[in-house]
């Protein structure tokens, strides 16, 4: 198993180019099931998660080709199978999003209940409610969901989400695009990945209105066409490198990063004493000598503070002057990084969904363990600022969601390398 070894203390200077968004790419890949024509995704991040999704799609009969460069071509000329087995779904929750497209196109599908990061219960009840609203009949048995469309296929319907779930909104959009008539998604999630999926589905021929607001209307089509679509820049990767600069110090241009997708984070970082500003290339982040100041945050659905940047923000706050309160409202059990940060000398007390972080003068390098995707990168951020050597074990979590992390950071001066056991 690989590990990442960091010699802390080096400042970051230069530029980092931001990849396409993992969370968007995975749903765009699922959209390829909706058409018998090729779907070409550009600025595709090369990640363990996208490879994994590719394996599942290949099993369903989709031809998946990578390259040239960061491009992926998916062609579902014919669906060979509508069964997604446990061993191909359990590792990653986004694979569950193949259910809707399969039912929409083939009339039925059997998909295992998903796995994914161990960050709380994460059920799929809202996904299933959405498909039911489009006329699908759902049966659950032995860890599998079997969905069947009425004769003539899925029909447009009213989908009211009690919680603005990102995955359920996307799932509903995918299925509704190939359903007869109009669907309305109320209390839809507003994350930028939703807008990206909407753009792609619209370019495939569906009529999509209101993405980015709480009400999305979709006119489904009997057939959708192929598309060439650029994946939106990863706002979480952008946030992560911005927070790495905050922790380590220096001055970095995040090329392609979208300013408007992280406004609440930028405000929190400015409050904490970090320079963050929009630039021609994307976003510029700098901290040269100024002390980080303790700043409170609370995670919220977009446009609020993203839960996927909470661990990274906490890593920075461990070195702040004063105390910060970090409240997690999206997922239970998403403070698994706190005990690992404590191993580096951080002072963090967790009470339920609240973490009280008392800033310390400096962190000291130590061996730590990655527990989930965003938690592991928070340990890298802490390691960049800690005195001495930090070894992050179990980095397969990192590889799920960060493309060429060591390369991007070392190009800016970080002392970071990967070791294989
Ligand atoms: C997506 C992102 C993830 C991010 C999250 C919130 C992907 C692949 N993952 O996850 O990185 O942290 O959005 O921004 O895009 N819930 C239910 N029932 C459901 C669905 C969700 O109760 O049917 C609950 C979950 O348990 C969780 C909350 O809703 O507590 C948020 O989940 P959701 O917005 O659906 O996140 P995901 O789509 O799983």
């Amino acid at each position: 198993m690989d590990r990442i070894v960091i010699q802390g203390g080096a400042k970051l200077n230069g530029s980092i180019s931001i990849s396409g968004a993992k969370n968007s790419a995975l749903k765009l890949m699922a959209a390829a099931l909706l058409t018998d024509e090729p779907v070409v995704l550009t600025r595709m991040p090369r990640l363990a998660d996208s490879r994994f999704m590719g394996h599942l799609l290949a099993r369903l009969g989709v031809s998946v080709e990578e390259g040239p460069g960061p491009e992926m071509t998916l062609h579902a000329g014919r669906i060979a199978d509508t069964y997604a087995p446990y061993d191909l779904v359990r590792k990653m929750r986004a694979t569950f999003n193949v259910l809707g497209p399969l039912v929409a196109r083939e009339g039925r599908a059997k998909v295992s209940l998903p796995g994914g990061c161990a960050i709380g219960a994460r059920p799929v009840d809202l996904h299933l409610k959405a498909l039911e609203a489009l006329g699908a009949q759902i049966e659950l048995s032995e860890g599998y969901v079997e969905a069947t469309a009425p004769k003539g296929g899925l029909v447009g319907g009213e989908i009211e989400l009690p919680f603005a779930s990102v995955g359920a909104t996307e799932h509903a959009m995918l299925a509704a695009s190939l359903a007869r008539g109009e669907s309305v998604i109320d209390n839809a999630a507003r994350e930028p990945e939703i807008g990206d999926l909407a753009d792609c589905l619209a370019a495939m021929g569906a009529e999509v209105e209101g993405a980015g607001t709480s009400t999305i209307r979709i006119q489904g089509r009997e057939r959708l066409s192929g598309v060439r679509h650029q994946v939106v820049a990863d706002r979480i990767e952008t946030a992560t490198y911005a927070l790495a600069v905050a922790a380590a110090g220096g001055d970095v241009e995040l090329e392609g990063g979208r300013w408007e997708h992280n406004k609440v984070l930028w405000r929190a970082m400015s409050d904490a004493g970090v320079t963050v500003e929009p630039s021609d290339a994307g976003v510029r982040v700098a901290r040269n000598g100024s002390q980080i100041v303790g700043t409170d945050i609370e995670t919220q659905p977009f446009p609020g503070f993203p839960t996927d940047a909470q661990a990274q923000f906490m890593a920075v706050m461990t070195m702040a002057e004063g105390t910060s309160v970090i409240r997690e409202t999206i997922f239970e059990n998403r403070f698994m990084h706190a005990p690992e940060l404590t191993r580096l000398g951080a002072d963090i007390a967790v009470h339920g969904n609240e973490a009280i972080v008392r800033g310390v003068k400096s962190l000291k390098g130590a061996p730590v363990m990655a527990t989930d995707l965003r938690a592991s990168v928070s340990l890298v951020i802490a390691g960049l600022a800690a005195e001495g050597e930090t070894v992050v074990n179990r980095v397969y979590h990192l590889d799920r969601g960060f493309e060429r992390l060591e390369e991007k950071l070392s190009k800016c001066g970080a002392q970071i390398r990967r070791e294989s056991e």
Side-chain angles (χ1 to χ4, degrees):
M1 232 180 276
D2 289 1
R3 55 185 176 220
I4 299 245
V5 182
I6 305 160
Q7 293 294 337
K11 289 197 169 186
L12 302 177
N13 283 293
S15 66
I16 295 180
S17 93
I18 299 302
S19 300
K22 168 185 89 81
N23 286 352
S24 202
L26 298 172
K27 319 304 164 58
L28 295 166
M29 288 175 76
L33 287 167
L34 295 168
T35 170
D36 59 6
E37 295 179 14
V39 168
V40 181
L41 300 176
T42 61
R43 192 159 60 188
M44 255 309 273
R46 284 188 189 225
L47 300 166
D49 272 12
S50 47
R51 263 196 307 279
F52 196 71
M53 185 68 156
H55 290 155
L56 170 63
L57 291 173
R59 155 91 193 223
L60 303 175
V62 184
S63 101
V64 182
E65 273 174 38
E66 285 195 74
E71 215 172 276
M72 183 183 269
T73 303
L74 303 113
H75 189 189
R78 201 179 67 84
I79 303 288
D81 203 345
T82 56
Y83 169 62
Y86 176 66
D87 60 325
L88 287 181
V89 176
R90 78 186 152 87
K91 280 202 208 153
M92 194 179 84
R93 187 172 162 83
T95 47
F96 191 67
N97 281 275
V98 301
L99 178 67
L102 285 175
V103 188
R105 181 150 161 205
E106 297 292 304
R108 58 187 312 118
K110 181 173 174 177
V111 175
S112 168
L113 287 165
C117 284
I119 49 173
R122 300 187 93 180
V124 289
D125 52 328
L126 306 178
H127 295 236
L128 301 180
K129 276 208 183 95
L131 295 180
E132 276 175 340
L134 303 179
Q137 260 201 357
I138 306 280
E139 274 180 44
L140 291 177
S141 78
E142 294 167 3
Y144 279 83
V145 179
E146 274 194 77
T148 318
K151 263 208 185 97
L154 294 180
V155 279
E158 282 265 338
I159 300 163
E160 263 201 61
L161 296 175
F163 174 83
S165 150
V166 177
T169 302
E170 291 165 332
H171 211 155
M173 291 167 72
L174 287 162
S177 295
L178 209 56
R180 267 179 297 135
E182 183 176 85
S183 296
V184 181
I185 308 171
D186 272 327
N187 197 23
R190 294 183 286 160
E191 270 68 3
E193 295 77 37
I194 304 281
D196 197 27
L197 181 61
D199 289 346
C200 182
L201 293 171
M204 292 169 78
E207 224 174 274
V208 188
E209 242 178 59
T213 74
S214 299
T215 307
I216 301 178
R217 284 174 193 279
I218 299 185
Q219 282 289 343
R221 295 281 180 255
E222 214 169 293
R223 262 195 97 242
L224 294 172
S225 62
V227 66
R228 186 177 174 87
H229 177 84
Q230 185 182 53
V231 181
V232 69
D234 196 322
R235 67 193 165 99
I236 302 302
E237 193 196 23
T238 309
T240 300
Y241 289 124
L243 288 162
V245 177
D251 193 333
V252 172
E253 190 90 47
L254 301 170
E255 284 174 6
R258 297 275 292 267
W259 174 262
E260 68 278 21
H261 289 171
N262 272 319
K263 283 191 169 164
V264 171
L265 169 69
W266 306 143
R267 163 64 62 84
M269 287 178 67
S270 300
D271 289 351
V274 182
T275 302
V276 203
E277 58 190 22
S279 65
D280 288 345
V283 178
R284 176 181 162 243
V285 185
R287 184 173 74 84
N288 280 310
S290 63
Q291 170 66 43
I292 296 162
V293 183
T295 304
D296 301 343
I297 54 143
E298 175 174 301
T299 64
Q300 287 292 339
F302 190 84
F305 192 100
T307 174
D308 286 349
Q310 178 258 105
Q312 299 90 312
F313 192 83
M314 188 187 289
V316 176
M317 288 304 116
T318 62
M319 296 163 262
E321 193 174 76
T323 298
S324 333
V325 179
I326 296 187
R327 193 170 296 128
E328 171 61 53
T329 74
I330 310 290
F331 293 112
E332 324 148 20
N333 195 19
R334 206 177 198 184
F335 285 137
M336 287 175 302
H337 41 285
E340 296 300 312
L341 289 169
T342 304
R343 289 175 55 79
L344 300 173
D347 179 351
I348 305 169
V350 173
H351 306 283
N353 73 342
E354 214 171 79
I356 316 281
V357 185
R358 291 188 180 84
V360 294
K361 275 228 160 61
S362 64
L363 299 179
K364 306 258 182 319
V368 286
M369 189 86 85
T371 49
D372 76 26
L373 173 54
R374 312 303 178 185
S376 33
V377 86
S378 77
L379 301 173
V380 172
I381 290 176
L384 289 172
E387 288 167 12
E389 184 175 277
T390 297
V391 180
V392 183
N393 293 293
R394 290 208 190 156
V395 296
Y396 59 84
H397 288 294
L398 267 183
D399 295 334
R400 286 189 48 199
F402 290 94
E403 186 178 26
R404 296 179 287 113
L405 175 96
E406 316 91 87
E407 194 186 312
K408 289 187 183 189
L409 284 171
S410 52
K411 212 185 103 208
C412 290
Q415 300 292 309
I416 179 169
R417 65 177 196 277
R418 177 180 291 252
E419 278 182 0
S420 300
E421 261 172 26

